[in-house]
């Protein structure tokens, strides 16, 4: 039987209207625009309005991707949504989005892999298509991470933003996605986590103690090392050389981490999509937001090879090498 591949046929994204600059944050915590820019590359972030949810952003991004694809919601046979900030505990945000799109009946579920959520969702969707189980899949990465930020903690509050991105995947006889890789190591859980929740219990604190905790320097070191190994593994899995990659579309957490990965691949920064300056770290939203920006700005062209990767709490890390 001829192999089946999955192809990205369209992308979409959504950002909250409200933009908060580094200078705005200087009024809240003891920080400076200069410190944030030089340590992270971030200049601004979008922050969800009161009442605006992950599902709202996911729905908008999904609708834009479906419109671009010319695919009706009723044609979808699967929705996979990466998020660590679901609207409610259940139903999943994927189910909430499915209902709003009018795709009722298809399978729909969330994936929680922290910042690697979209990359995990993409890898899973690819396997559904390759197995013949699904023909048209909506893959979303969406977050409102600023809802679980401690606005008194300058070490974390300057880093994150809200947003969503989506892709429509379709079964094809041509690649498509060449290879995906996924990994996790729960041994690192305490370096980047939000250690409250339903079963462990919430805390008797404002916002129920729901806050991101991070050991930034340690996360940085492991992220760089791990992403180096991940891009090597992904190239090997796809049987390709770094010189064949047209664009690196990395997780947008820190410009210095992105530059380190580009260096590993010997890719000039002109071939790297950078949106961290505009969006900050939108967790699962980051890679599909960057991809949609790259497509809509005309940088990424059909037929080019793209290397997508992400790293996040867990730790989790995942990648995809694909022909767009
Ligand atoms: N504004 C001003 N000063 C700040 C600050 C802020 N927002 N946050 C921390 N500092 C201070 C620290 O208190 C420290 O002060 P000290 O030297 O007096 O102790 C100093 O800046 C340097 O801190 P350090 O942690 O060494 O900085 P760094 O160069 O490692 O940069 C991060 C900090 C968080 C930007 C960086 O470690 C990072 O990006 N880590 C990865 C985080 C990440 O990507 N997480 C998500 C993964 S998905």
């Amino acid at each position: 039987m001829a192999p089946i591949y999955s192809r990205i046929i369209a992308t979409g994204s959504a950002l909250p209207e409200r933009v908060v600059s580094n200078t705005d944050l200087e009024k809240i915590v003891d920080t400076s625009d200069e410190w944030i820019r030089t340590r992270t590359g971030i200049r601004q972030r979008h922050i969800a309005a009161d009442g605006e949810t992950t599902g709202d952003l996911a729905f908008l991004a999904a609708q834009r991707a479906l419109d671009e694809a010319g695919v009706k919601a009723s044609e979808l046979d699967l929705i996979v949504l990466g998020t660590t900030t679901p609207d409610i505990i259940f139903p999943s945000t994927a189910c909430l989005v499915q209902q709003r799109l009018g795709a009722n009946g298809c399978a729909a579920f969330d994936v929680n892999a922290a910042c690697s959520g979209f990359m995990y969702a993409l890898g899973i969707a690819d396997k559904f298509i390759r197995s013949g189980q699904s023909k048209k899949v909506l893959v979303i990465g969406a977050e409102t991470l600023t809802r679980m930020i401690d606005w008194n903690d300058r070490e974390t509050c300057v880093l994150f933003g809200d947003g969503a991105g989506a892709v429509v995947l379709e079964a094809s006889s041509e690649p498509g996605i060449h290879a995906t890789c996924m990994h996790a190591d729960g041994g690192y859980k305490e370096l980047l986590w939000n250690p409250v929740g339903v079963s462990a219990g919430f805390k008797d604190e404002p916002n129920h103690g729901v806050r991101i905790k991070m050991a930034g320097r340690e996360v940085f070191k492991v992220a760089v090392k791990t992403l180096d190994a991940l891009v090597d593994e992904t190239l090997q899995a796809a049987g390709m050389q770094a010189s064949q990659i047209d664009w690196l579309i990395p997780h947008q957490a820190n410009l210095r981490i992105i530059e380190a990965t580009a260096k590993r691949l010997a890719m000039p920064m002109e071939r790297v999509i950078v949106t961290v300056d505009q969006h900050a770290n939108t967790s699962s939203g980051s890679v599909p937001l960057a991809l949609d920006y790259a497509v809509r700005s005309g940088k990424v062209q059909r037929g080019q090879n793209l290397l997508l990767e992400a790293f996040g709490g867990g730790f989790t890390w995942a990648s995809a090498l694909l022909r767009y």
Side-chain angles (χ1 to χ4, degrees):
M1 216 171 71
I4 309 171
Y5 298 97
S6 58
R7 271 191 61 228
I8 294 179
I9 59 165
T11 64
S13 65
L15 288 158
E17 245 172 62
R18 186 173 160 224
V19 174
V20 174
S21 69
N22 293 345
T23 320
D24 294 331
L25 291 182
E26 287 176 2
K27 294 168 201 140
I28 305 175
V29 284
D30 179 15
T31 190
S32 68
D33 172 50
E34 204 260 335
W35 191 95
I36 302 171
R37 270 190 296 105
T38 52
R39 301 287 172 132
T40 71
I42 296 167
R43 290 172 185 272
Q44 62 169 48
R45 69 285 293 139
H46 290 249
I47 295 193
D50 287 348
E52 188 174 33
T53 66
T54 295
D56 292 334
L57 297 170
F59 169 70
L60 275 177
Q63 192 65 72
R64 286 171 184 156
L66 287 169
D67 287 349
E68 188 67 33
V71 167
K72 292 196 215 71
S74 56
E75 295 175 61
L76 295 172
D77 42 31
L78 175 65
I79 299 174
V80 192
L81 187 150
T83 192
T84 191
T85 47
D87 285 23
I88 52 177
I89 291 162
F90 71 89
S92 69
T93 306
C95 287
L96 303 180
V97 171
Q98 182 221 46
Q99 190 268 330
R100 285 173 71 179
L101 290 171
N104 306 49
C106 74
F109 59 90
D110 287 359
V111 177
N112 179 351
C115 294
S116 309
F118 174 79
M119 295 311 310
Y120 263 61
L122 188 68
I124 293 164
D126 177 54
K127 281 157 190 61
F128 267 81
I129 288 182
R130 279 177 188 252
S131 73
Q133 179 82 30
S134 301
K135 299 265 183 301
K136 284 191 173 62
V137 182
L138 178 63
V139 186
I140 309 171
E143 304 274 11
T144 45
L145 223 74
T146 64
R147 290 273 154 70
M148 54 185 193
I149 274 174
D150 177 354
W151 290 104
N152 297 312
D153 177 8
R154 69 176 184 174
E155 294 187 14
T156 51
C157 78
V158 301
L159 302 177
F160 298 99
D162 302 326
V167 302
V168 180
L169 277 188
E170 193 176 66
S172 164
S173 55
E174 303 279 323
I177 295 183
H178 293 294
T180 61
C181 301
M182 279 181 228
H183 295 280
D185 186 343
Y188 288 107
K189 65 180 186 290
E190 286 164 27
L191 293 187
L192 177 55
W193 64 338
N194 189 334
V196 300
V198 179
S199 194
F202 291 97
K203 288 189 180 154
D204 188 16
E205 289 175 13
N207 200 25
H208 310 290
V210 177
R211 291 188 194 126
I212 294 176
K213 295 179 197 296
M214 184 181 71
R217 210 174 303 179
E218 284 73 19
V219 174
F220 188 99
K221 279 190 220 147
V222 183
V224 169
K225 214 170 106 204
T226 305
L227 288 170
D228 276 358
L230 180 65
V231 295
D232 291 352
E233 179 194 352
T234 314
L235 286 169
Q236 202 177 1
M240 290 172 76
Q241 308 291 321
S243 57
Q244 293 174 268
I245 307 299
D246 294 294
W247 292 99
L248 171 64
I249 307 188
H251 176 45
Q252 308 285 324
N254 184 307
L255 185 59
R256 291 184 293 144
I257 298 177
I258 294 173
E259 285 168 345
T261 309
K263 196 168 163 204
R264 176 71 168 203
L265 290 163
M267 288 181 76
M269 286 306 285
E270 294 75 50
R271 283 165 59 204
V272 181
I273 300 298
V274 175
T275 53
V276 68
D277 55 330
Q278 300 298 307
H279 303 159
N281 182 350
T282 56
S283 187
S284 295
S286 134
V287 173
L289 265 164
L291 174 62
D292 187 50
Y293 157 75
V295 168
R296 284 176 198 257
S297 63
K299 290 188 179 218
V300 161
Q301 300 287 325
R302 284 282 166 203
Q304 290 186 324
N305 290 319
L306 317 181
L307 177 53
L308 280 49
E309 46 85 346
F311 178 90
F315 286 144
T316 55
W317 58 102
S319 62
L321 205 165
L322 60 96
R323 188 177 158 86
Y324 180 68

